[in-house]
Amino acid sequence: MGRVPHRCPKCGQTTGCVHDYRVQKIKHTQIFSRRTAIFYRKRRYVCKNKDCGKRFYEENSIVERYQRQSVEFNQSIGIELIHGKNFKDVASRFGTSPTTVMRHFDKISSSMLKETNQLPEVIAIDEYKGDAGGEKYQTVIADPIHRKPLEILIDRKKDTLVAYLKEHGANIKLVYGTYITT
Ligand SMILES: [Zn+2]
């Protein structure tokens, strides 16, 4: 990252004084099928205010606080979760554990997905072997235009899908998918 003035989080005074650097290893996405890592030389600023002297890390777009994976890595896992076969498969491709992948799955399904109230005009429906909640297969509903997962249903039963679409699918005009319903 370039050196830019930062506001002290404690007293609000602007500072450009560097205190020190720390190298952080961050898991990144695969490049040409090889696992990659970013070695990020993280800068720490020090507040010039004599009464404060707070030391703090620079803002960055590479890694979120308290995370060891890059933002890009987390986003790719989210996308893979929609296209991948199962947690184990996604985990081995990302060089991480199925537990980590499951955590991402939970995060997507609980935060981002709950926002969906009415589905868009075009949706894609697919099944997903997630082994979640005692069910082997889940149903993934996605927005194929914006490439965003919208909802994950607990199983792939017709009744579940019909009930869900009745409640949220009033705007739907086109459905893509391998899911067969009668
Ligand atoms: Zn300060």
Side-chain angles (χ1 to χ4, degrees):
M1 305 292 292
R3 194 171 146 181
V4 287
H6 272 60
R7 263 174 73 94
C8 170
K10 200 173 162 193
C11 73
Q13 190 171 307
T14 305
T15 180
C17 283
V18 176
H19 182 258
D20 60 6
Y21 292 88
R22 211 196 100 203
V23 175
Q24 187 183 359
K25 187 182 174 184
I26 305 157
K27 239 181 211 185
H28 195 49
T29 45
Q30 294 191 359
I31 295 171
F32 298 116
S33 305
R34 285 170 190 270
R35 286 170 204 166
T36 56
I38 294 171
F39 289 86
Y40 168 37
R41 193 161 169 260
K42 214 173 181 180
R43 185 180 292 112
R44 200 150 58 127
Y45 289 99
V46 60
C47 182
K48 282 183 291 188
N49 181 349
K50 280 195 184 73
D51 301 323
C52 178
K54 171 92 178 158
R55 295 158 189 177
F56 57 95
Y57 285 111
E58 66 186 348
E59 287 167 18
N60 78 86
S61 52
I62 302 158
V63 61
E64 278 173 42
R65 219 171 160 197
Y66 310 122
Q67 293 260 322
R68 270 171 303 158
Q69 293 96 24
S70 70
V71 172
E72 178 71 29
F73 178 93
N74 288 332
Q75 286 173 352
S76 315
I77 268 201
I79 294 163
E80 277 297 311
L81 270 169
I82 303 305
H83 299 296
K85 280 192 284 261
N86 53 46
F87 291 141
K88 225 177 120 193
D89 174 65
V90 176
S92 80
R93 267 192 288 154
F94 276 79
T96 187
S97 69
T99 319
T100 302
V101 177
M102 269 180 238
R103 234 184 23 240
H104 283 273
F105 186 84
D106 286 345
K107 229 163 96 185
I108 292 172
S109 50
S110 63
S111 62
M112 175 179 171
L113 298 174
K114 263 189 191 142
E115 301 289 314
T116 305
N117 189 23
Q118 279 302 316
L119 295 168
E121 289 187 0
V122 183
I123 61 161
I125 300 180
D126 210 345
E127 63 179 25
Y128 181 85
K129 194 167 174 293
D131 287 316
E135 288 285 340
K136 205 165 193 174
Y137 289 92
Q138 279 69 49
T139 302
V140 178
I141 297 175
D143 177 342
I145 293 168
H146 301 99
R147 296 172 172 275
K148 254 174 48 187
L150 298 172
E151 186 65 84
I152 296 166
L153 306 180
I154 192 66
D155 56 37
R156 58 170 177 179
K157 292 181 186 120
K158 190 178 138 190
D159 290 348
T160 308
L161 181 65
V162 169
Y164 178 78
L165 292 182
K166 261 187 187 154
E167 202 174 326
H168 304 275
N171 302 329
I172 296 173
K173 290 192 173 135
L174 186 61
V175 176
Y176 288 100
T178 53
Y179 205 97
I180 297 158
T181 50
T182 49

